[in-house]
């Protein structure tokens, strides 16, 4: 850079070569208009208030998601499934072996992870279910049904109807289908014989695919179906449809959580036995009788009522 002379002083970019401010003032004092030595005031600091825009999802998570009373997690969720993000703590608890209550498209159900043997035993104790009583499973898809059962009867070209094709039209829906269990199903879920020789060799299980947004949102995030049993009053043996009352009654028995999806109707699923020669209704419920189903006569109905019907929702 070029040097600049100011009244006998060389001004260079080097700060060390500059004269002191006092010296410069003395030399240029007669010529005040040439240069100004007024030290400029530092600019005022401007404090900007910045509004941080938060996404709707983050805003949701900042709000209370659930309440916990005496170790019982209570989650209130929209029955239409608009806030399924609230169910994440429930899903994590289930994967860790928790036992809790969730809504279905019929009545409320006590559920646990199918892969947790200790949770299945706890579920039986909470509900006071005998070891010989078969349990139901809640499935997310037809693939789950194929994995844990031998599947639905299919047409063989010799006059036997393809039941599988008919079943696909009513699932998800308010039906419990009794099928033969596969080896993938834990032993705690199936019935390993009865005192009646006719059914001694059967190893059956009730399967469900509920048409319920909350239930399906939970099943979708699980690694396996859920073991399920309907919620009844321990004394009156009636369907319990109010989740608040369910929490009061079964909370002290050892429940880990309750998902509140609103009050439901006391209308359980229709149970259809698929293990015989034809699909036979052994409990008429919310699901209507379809043309390929056979209604059971009074004598057989009296036998089946408590003996073979799984603890279905």
């Amino acid at each position: 850079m070029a040097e600049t002379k100011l009244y006998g002083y060389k001004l260079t970019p080097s700060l060390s070569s500059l004269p002191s401010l006092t010296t410069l003032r003395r030399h240029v004092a007669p010529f005040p208009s040439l240069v100004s030595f007024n030290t400029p005031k530092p600019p005022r600091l401007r404090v900007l208030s910045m509004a941080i825009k938060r996404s709707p999802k983050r805003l949701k998570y900042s709000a209370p998601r659930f309440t916990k009373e005496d170790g019982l997690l209570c989650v209130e969720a929209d029955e239409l499934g608009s806030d399924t993000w609230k169910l994440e703590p429930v899903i994590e608890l289930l994967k860790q072996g928790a036992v809790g209550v969730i809504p279905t498209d019929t009545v409320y159900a006590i559920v646990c992870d199918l892969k947790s043997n200790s949770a299945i035993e706890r579920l039986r104790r909470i509900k006071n279910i005998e070891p010989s009583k078969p349990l139901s499973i809640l499935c997310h898809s037809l693939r789950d049904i194929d994995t844990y059962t031998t599947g639905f009867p299919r047409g063989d070209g010799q006059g036997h109807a393809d039941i599988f094709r008919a079943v696909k039209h009513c699932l998800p829906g308010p039906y419990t289908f009794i099928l033969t269990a596969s080896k993938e199903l834990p032993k705690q879920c199936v019935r390993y014989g009865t005192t009646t020789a006719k059914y001694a060799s059967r190893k059956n299980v009730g399967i469900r695919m509920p048409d319920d947004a909350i239930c399906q949102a939970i099943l979708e995030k699980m690694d396996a179906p859920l073991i399920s049993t309907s919620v009844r009053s321990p004394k009156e043996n009636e369907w319990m449809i109010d989740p608040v009352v369910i929490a009061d009654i079964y909370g002290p028995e050892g429940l880990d959580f309750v998902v509140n999806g609103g009050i439901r109707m006391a209308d359980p699923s229709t149970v259809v036995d698929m293990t015989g020669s034809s699909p036979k209704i052994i409990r008429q419920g919310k699901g209507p009788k379809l043309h390929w189903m056979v209604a059971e006569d009074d004598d057989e109905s009296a036998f089946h009522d408590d003996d073979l019907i799984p603890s279905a929702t």
Side-chain angles (χ1 to χ4, degrees), residues 96-109:
Q96 295 170 14
V99 178
V101 172
I102 66 173
T104 71
D105 55 351
T106 54
V107 295
Y108 275 89

Side-chain angles (χ1 to χ4, degrees), residues 4 9 21 45 60 68 70 79 116 120 127 133-134 148 175 200 212 219 223 239 243 262 280 294 298 306 312:
T4 303
Y9 289 94
L21 186 60
L45 296 178
K60 285 183 178 180
K68 196 167 186 179
D70 300 327
E79 61 180 329
S116 175
I120 296 174
K127 183 73 182 299
K133 183 76 172 178
Y148 294 97
Y175 293 92
D212 180 87
L219 291 171
D223 300 324
W239 306 108
K280 185 177 295 184
V294 178
D298 294 338
D306 293 322

Side-chain angles (χ1 to χ4, degrees), residues 296-303:
E296 197 170 43
D297 61 41
D298 294 338
D299 293 336
E300 288 184 340
S301 177
F303 172 78

Side-chain angles (χ1 to χ4, degrees), residues 4 10 13 30 32 53 65 70-71 74 80 93 109 121 145 147 154 168 185-187 190 199 203 219 228 261 305 313:
T4 303
K10 294 181 180 180
K53 185 177 180 181
R65 289 182 287 172
D70 300 327
C74 300
L80 299 179
L93 284 175
E121 295 303 321
I145 297 175
T147 300
R154 299 176 183 266
K168 288 195 299 183
L185 198 67
K187 295 180 180 179
V190 297
Y199 297 97
K203 301 174 183 178
L219 291 171
S228 167
D305 190 25
T313 51

Side-chain angles (χ1 to χ4, degrees), residues 152-172:
F152 293 97
R154 299 176 183 266
D156 56 6
Q158 299 179 1
H160 295 89
D162 188 350
I163 301 300
F164 176 71
R165 182 177 299 178
V167 167
K168 288 195 299 183
H169 292 291
C170 60
L171 290 178

Side-chain angles (χ1 to χ4, degrees), residues 127 129 133-136 228-230 309-313:
K127 183 73 182 299
I129 301 175
K133 183 76 172 178
L135 297 170
S136 297
S228 167
T229 177
S230 57
I309 295 180
S311 186
T313 51

Side-chain angles (χ1 to χ4, degrees), residues 24-102:
L24 287 176
R25 285 181 183 276
R26 185 172 61 251
H27 283 276
V28 299
F31 311 98
S33 60
L34 292 179
V35 63
S36 174
F37 290 94
N38 293 329
T39 304
K41 295 181 180 180
R44 294 181 180 179
L45 296 178
R46 296 180 180 179
V47 180
L48 300 179
S49 59
M50 300 179 64
I52 302 176
K53 185 177 180 181
R54 306 176 70 183
S55 67
K57 185 175 182 180
R58 297 286 297 177
L59 288 173
K60 285 183 178 180
Y61 275 97
S62 66
R65 289 182 287 172
F66 49 78
T67 58
K68 196 167 186 179
E69 300 175 0
D70 300 327
L72 179 66
L73 179 70
C74 300
V75 180
E76 186 172 347
D78 177 21
E79 61 180 329
L80 299 179
S82 65
D83 52 3
T84 54
W85 56 269
K86 290 182 179 179
L87 302 173
E88 291 184 4
V90 170
I91 296 168
E92 290 303 316
L93 284 175
L94 283 169
K95 291 181 178 180
Q96 295 170 14
V99 178
V101 172
I102 66 173

Side-chain angles (χ1 to χ4, degrees), residues 6-28:
L6 177 62
Y7 297 99
Y9 289 94
K10 294 181 180 180
L11 300 181
T12 65
S14 176
L15 293 178
S16 61
S17 63
L18 290 176
S20 66
L21 186 60
T22 303
T23 303
L24 287 176
R25 285 181 183 276
R26 185 172 61 251
H27 283 276
V28 299

